[in-house]
Amino acid sequence: MLSNRLGTVLVTALAPMIWGTTYFVTTQLLPPGRPLLAGVLRALPAGILLVALTRRLPQGSWWWRAFVLGALNIGVFFALLFVAAYRLPGGVAATLGSLQPLVVMGLSAAWLGERMSLRKVGAAAAGVVGVALLVLRANAQLDAIGIAAALGGTIVMGTGVVLSKRWTSPAPLLATTGWQLIAGGLLLLPVALLVEGLPSKALTASNVAGYAYLSTVGAALAYALWFRGIRALSPTQVTFLGLLSPTVATAVGWLALGQSLTAAQVLGAVIVLASLVVAQLRQRERDEVVARRTVEEDASPRRDEHELLSAR
């Protein structure tokens, strides 16, 4: 049982580790100044591919649930991330994003009945400190709109994580992932056209390779692993793994781009990894029973949709 759970944690951790390579791929392979286009081409083709492979469309309430989850986990989150990236230094945005475990813990306590322990709160606080040491710079400038966008993105994706646990789809994992990617991509498409317009130059072979990587590996594979983890683990345990993304991004910058690595950044990486280990320690059986009961109740045909909405 323990080995199965550890295996699930390790496989789920691959998703944020893959996302940690996004900065390298974006800067080295993609055309500059088109992050929204990258979001669309990352989500939409991957979603279409997964739906085509599974040949499964949403049914009943899952039409609007897939749209809501796709907006929270992908569409609205990417848009807010775009605003934050343009108005804040990357270190500030990543540090604010590391608050997500605290958001998920609060929502999980309210909606799923999970216990919000001092151990998990302490691990979340340590994770924020670790990420700040990794990516935050002393001369970072703040911007009110950028901070609001970064915090909004953190809250939006945190909400998506918890709702993904509460709303367990009866469809195969790949189909549900595909629905969300399509919904998120369709939401981003008009925003990308309005803000960035159509590309003025033809895509190069490097551009195509970069978009293909982000779509197949960075979206189809990574989101499938992420949602699989949410089904099997508690949302709090899963969201802590997201701290691996800035850690991997820093490591890739050091290894592949020759960026310097300071003692403070090494200490930050150690703190992040320690917080991950503490967060993944086995919880009391009560939390596991509550999580199983939530899934069973949601799968029951007697579950009234109005009751789900009132829980929000």
Side-chain angles (χ1 to χ4, degrees), residues 61-62 64-65 110-113 162-163 165-168 290-312:
S61 64
W62 269 98
W64 66 265
R65 286 187 180 186
W111 294 352
L112 304 178
V162 178
L163 279 183
K165 181 69 174 184
R166 187 171 182 86
W167 293 343
T168 303
V290 168
R292 285 199 301 269
R293 187 177 63 208
T294 301
V295 173
E296 290 169 359
E297 288 177 352
D298 189 70
S300 170
R302 295 188 298 255
R303 183 73 168 171
D304 190 271
E305 290 181 7
H306 177 72
E307 185 180 341
L308 289 174
L309 289 172
S310 66
R312 298 186 69 189

Side-chain angles (χ1 to χ4, degrees), residues 31-304:
R34 292 196 170 271
L36 288 177
L37 174 64
V40 173
L41 294 181
R42 178 182 177 185
L44 201 52
I48 294 173
L49 173 64
L50 292 180
V51 171
L53 289 174
T54 57
R55 293 184 293 180
R56 187 77 172 264
L57 293 176
Q59 293 183 352
S61 64
W62 269 98
W63 280 103
W64 66 265
R65 286 187 180 186
F67 181 85
V68 170
L69 292 177
L72 293 172
N73 289 316
I74 299 161
V76 176
F77 172 69
F78 279 3
L80 291 173
L81 196 65
F82 161 78
V83 175
Y86 263 74
R87 302 189 69 101
L88 291 175
V92 176
T95 302
L96 292 173
S98 67
L99 294 170
Q100 190 177 118
L102 290 170
V103 173
V104 170
M105 273 190 280
L107 293 176
S108 295
W111 294 352
L112 304 178
E114 282 192 6
R115 187 172 59 88
M116 194 170 180
S117 69
L118 183 61
R119 171 177 61 82
K120 290 187 286 188
V121 173
V128 175
V129 173
V131 171
L133 289 172
L134 267 173
V135 298
L136 197 58
R137 300 293 176 264
N139 60 350
Q141 297 181 348
L142 303 182
D143 173 85
I145 296 177
I147 291 175
L151 289 175
T154 300
I155 294 171
V156 160
M157 189 173 182
T159 304
V161 168
V162 178
L163 279 183
S164 295
K165 181 69 174 184
R166 187 171 182 86
W167 293 343
T168 303
S169 171
L173 173 67
L174 292 182
T176 307
T177 303
W179 302 342
Q180 293 189 50
L181 287 168
I182 290 175
L186 289 176
L187 279 172
L188 277 176
L189 181 58
V191 180
L193 292 176
L194 180 65
V195 175
E196 297 176 356
L198 294 172
S200 56
K201 298 180 180 179
L203 297 179
T204 66
S206 296
N207 297 156
V208 173
Y211 287 128
Y213 172 83
L214 290 181
S215 185
T216 56
V217 180
L221 174 61
Y223 274 104
L225 295 176
W226 185 250
F227 294 137
R228 176 181 179 272
I230 292 174
R231 287 189 177 190
L233 304 169
S234 77
T236 301
Q237 291 169 320
V238 173
T239 195
F240 265 97
L241 297 175
L243 299 178
L244 287 170
S245 186
T247 307
V248 170
T250 301
V252 170
W254 173 57
L255 292 171
L257 301 178
Q259 297 175 351
S260 61
L261 196 62
T262 66
Q265 287 178 302
V266 173
L267 176 61
V270 171
I271 293 175
V272 167
L273 294 177
S275 71
L276 293 180
V277 172
V278 171
Q280 301 306 321
L281 292 177
R282 191 168 183 82
Q283 304 177 45
R284 292 180 179 178
E285 277 190 38
R286 177 181 175 275
D287 284 352
E288 297 177 354
V289 171
V290 168
R292 285 199 301 269
R293 187 177 63 208
T294 301
V295 173
E296 290 169 359
E297 288 177 352
D298 189 70
S300 170
R302 295 188 298 255
R303 183 73 168 171
D304 190 271

